[in-house]
Every structure is written in structure tokens, then in C-alpha cells.
Amino acid sequence: MKATPSTSRDSALFAATRAAGSAAFSQAFFLSFLISSGPASAQTFTGSFGAPNGAVYDSGPYPANSYPEQVADVLVDTATAGGPYVYVVGTSSRGSQGYDWAAIRYDSIGSKLDFFTYGSAGADDKVYDAAQDGAGNIYLAGNAGAGALMKRSANLATLISSASVPGEVYAVAANHSGSEIYVLTYTGGNLALRRHDGSLAFVSSVTVRSAPSVWNARPKIALNETTNEVYVEAGNGNVQSGVASGNIFETYRYASGLVLLSSAAFGGATSRSYNIAVATNTGGVYVLGVSTFSSGFMDTILVRYNFNLAFLSSATVEGGLTYTNSSYGLDVDRATGDIYASGTNNAMKRYSSQLLLKTTHEHRRASALAVKDT
């Protein structure tokens, strides 16, 4: 999410919060974006998950007429000894010197343990997505002059491997063993899905669609390790021949070798999708986005498919919005099958696997969401 600052004295912050006030949300973490009128003069880390504003990272002042922080992802690590740990990933402003990748590791109460930045002076280096394998290794994907993919240790201190990737990199996913890494790139006018091995060496790629309109959406990847399949939420724009065309939710299902198995399209006249999750325990694939229907207003929509991408049901997370914005937060509690979704405005909702609303939690606009499996 991007916002335009009011003055050059504003500072940009990440705020990671543990949802409180309801046992149903005690395992949910969400990541927000804030603008403060009383900036710190340098990077600061304050608060905790239980504090009113959460655990806050402040990069310090950023220049007028520029974009401040862009939050990308939040991960919950239950694999590494001593956890659970929470990772907050995003793009950090460096004042007039551009932007850096940033990743923070917190303990379970929101105390900062480790901090990592990556970038070069004067460059707009941005990280767009993060993933973790079963050994706790962290994968970061974004742009640093060119497309970049990075694998780091759980404490963020050690660079294990890295790779240059053609074009702009939007998403990354890793299987549990860390042997297969998938990234989504926009290059040569195409949205492409690439497969890398555990050392980040390139293996193969496939064009998801040609000449997509990805700028108003956020393509993402989700893995189904039960069936060894890869799902791509492709945003909005033109899709492959024989599927559909126009601004709609577009979802694709591939075998691990990147053979297209099936696809699905959903949405009104103007739609864009932002996130995807797979619930292996309940057999569902969930896609979150916004869509304009006959009313002319934007609705935040959560769509449910089966593993073959046959439509099952949908739910309106928020309806009748008078503006278009981003709805990024989506995750599955893989123990209960419950689905957590963040709306465009100020609501995070918990649904059953059949998309029956169970509980609602009010919050600042959440740009990323992760659930510690109960």
C-alpha cells in the first residue's frame, strides 16, 4: 500500500500487531502502515504486539512528494527452536537516498530480535514478498536495480544464496523441504511463473499470461504440498486464450513441473485480486480481491474454489465502498481450517472453511496478515 505524505517531516512506520480482545483472534498477526506527524530522526523500534499501536518500526523522515514505507508480508515461524517468531517484511525509506529492503524478526511478544536491510544509495530497492521453508530459512523477492531473489538464515544474519531474476519480481513461495522455490515475474510484457531449486538455481518457467495489467493488483503464489501443485493469483487484465478477458480475478493451477492443469475467472466489470491461500485440510483454494458489480461500488470479495478451481462460494468481506483500495491480508489456520481476511477499510474477519462468518475484529487497515496455527 502506498500513501502520499503531507510534509517532509512525516515519518513512515510499520506496525505489527497481535489481534486482541477475542480468543478467536489471539493467534492472528497483522501488519499495518502508518504515517506519524512526530518523526524520529533515525530508525527506531518501539512498542510490542500488545501495545496500542503494536510493535512499530520507524525509518525516520522521508522526502516530500515521495512514497514512504510499503509493507509486503508478515510470517509466523513455528519451526525454529525458541519460537514462535514473527517476521515483518517491507520496503524502508532511506530519506532522499531512496529505498531499501527491510526485514525484522520479533519474538512472540513483539520484542525486536534481528533486523536486516538491503539496498544501494540513491536506488529504489523494494521487496514485494517473503516465504519460509520448514527449516526456517527466509526467502525474499523484489527488485534491487533488477529482479532479485534471496535466501537467508532464520535470524536474517546469513546470506545462504541469491539469484538475479529477469524483470520485476512480485511473489515467492517455497515448499516445506526448501527444494522447490517459485517466483512470479513481469518481464517482456508477460507475467511468468519461474521454478528454482533449493540453491536458487533456475530450473524452468512458464508464461501465465501475456501483456497483463499487474500494476493495480498484487500477483501471488500458493502451494498445495498434498497434491504437489502450484496456484497463481494473477491480478487483473488479459488472460490466456480460452479462459476469459477483461478485469477479473484470475487463478491458475499448475503441476510442480509448471504444466497448466486448470484455471478460473471471477468478478464484475472492474476487479483485481490481491492474495491467495490454500487450505490442504479442508480442500479449499481462497482468493481475496475487490470487484465492481452492478451497484458501481467496490466490494471486497473472498472467493472459494476446490483444488481443481471449480467455484464453490464467495463472501463479501466489505461492501459498497466508494473508492478502490487494496485488500491484502489473507491466511488459513491449518489446524482449524478457519480463514482470516482483511478488508479494505477497518475490519478483519474470520470465516469457516465454507465462508460462513464467525467473528469480526476492528483494526487499522491491514496490509498483511498471518495466523499461527492453533
Side-chain angles (χ1 to χ4, degrees):
M1 179 176 65
K2 298 181 179 180
T4 302
S6 56
T7 74
S8 62
R9 287 186 49 78
D10 284 343
S11 67
L13 307 95
F14 299 154
T17 305
R18 186 171 189 164
S22 168
F25 284 97
S26 64
Q27 303 297 319
F29 296 84
F30 58 88
L31 179 61
S32 300
F33 168 81
L34 300 173
I35 296 179
S36 168
S37 58
S41 59
Q43 293 171 339
T44 61
F45 300 87
T46 58
S48 66
F49 295 150
N53 287 328
V56 178
Y57 162 66
D58 185 345
S59 70
Y62 59 90
N65 302 317
S66 69
Y67 292 123
E69 264 66 4
Q70 297 175 44
V71 295
D73 210 353
V74 55
L75 304 173
V76 179
D77 174 12
T78 58
T80 306
Y85 302 103
V86 177
Y87 293 85
V88 170
V89 177
T91 299
S92 176
S93 172
R94 201 177 337 107
S96 61
Q97 296 301 307
Y99 303 92
D100 287 336
W101 296 21
I104 310 166
R105 185 171 76 139
Y106 293 98
D107 65 15
S108 61
I109 64 172
S111 297
K112 189 226 9 152
L113 300 175
D114 304 288
F115 178 57
F116 163 76
T117 60
Y118 172 75
S120 55
D124 289 344
D125 302 317
K126 299 181 181 181
V127 60
Y128 289 120
D129 201 15
Q132 187 175 36
D133 63 26
N137 298 311
I138 299 296
Y139 300 82
L140 302 173
N143 297 288
L149 180 62
M150 185 181 297
K151 178 180 181 180
R152 304 194 71 87
S153 60
N155 66 1
L156 302 175
T158 303
L159 175 64
I160 299 171
S161 55
S162 63
S164 296
V165 181
E168 301 213 29
V169 183
Y170 285 95
V172 61
N175 68 355
H176 184 78
S177 66
S179 61
E180 294 184 354
I181 315 301
Y182 298 90
V183 296
L184 274 175
T185 68
Y186 180 69
T187 179
N190 298 318
L191 184 68
L193 176 63
R194 294 170 56 94
R195 180 185 176 197
H196 294 249
D197 66 17
S199 68
L200 303 189
F202 172 73
V203 177
S204 60
S205 67
V206 64
T207 297
V208 178
R209 66 183 189 200
S210 301
S213 174
V214 298
W215 305 112
N216 291 324
R218 192 162 99 162
K220 297 281 280 186
I221 309 168
L223 303 184
N224 184 344
E225 296 204 52
T226 300
T227 62
N228 200 28
E229 293 172 351
V230 184
Y231 293 84
V232 173
E233 167 270 296
N236 66 306
N238 296 328
V239 298
Q240 288 181 336
S241 175
V243 180
S245 63
N247 293 328
I248 52 178
F249 289 21
E250 304 155 9
T251 308
Y252 300 88
R253 168 178 161 246
Y254 293 89
S256 60
L258 304 189
V259 175
L260 180 65
L261 300 175
S262 59
S263 58
F266 177 91
T270 301
S271 303
R272 55 199 63 161
S273 50
Y274 291 101
N275 213 331
I276 187 169
V278 174
T280 55
N281 54 341
T282 60
V285 178
Y286 300 86
V287 178
L288 180 70
V290 295
S291 186
T292 300
F293 291 95
S294 57
S295 65
F297 295 108
M298 299 299 295
D299 293 341
T300 301
I301 302 292
L302 181 58
V303 182
R304 171 180 165 238
Y305 301 100
N306 68 13
F307 283 167
N308 294 326
L309 294 185
F311 174 81
L312 297 176
S313 60
S314 65
T316 300
V317 181
E318 289 181 300
L321 303 174
T322 58
Y323 58 91
T324 303
N325 214 312
S326 52
S327 302
Y328 289 162
L330 179 67
D331 203 6
V332 175
D333 185 330
R334 286 160 181 82
T336 66
D338 288 345
I339 312 301
Y340 292 76
S342 161
T344 297
N345 247 343
N346 295 305
M348 180 167 65
K349 296 185 178 181
R350 179 174 68 115
Y351 294 89
S352 71
S353 59
Q354 292 80 31
L355 298 189
L356 300 176
L357 180 63
K358 300 178 80 169
T359 47
T360 299
H361 175 77
E362 298 299 320
H363 64 82
R364 296 183 205 88
R365 185 179 302 156
S367 298
L369 168 67
V371 175
K372 176 183 175 292
D373 298 339
T374 54

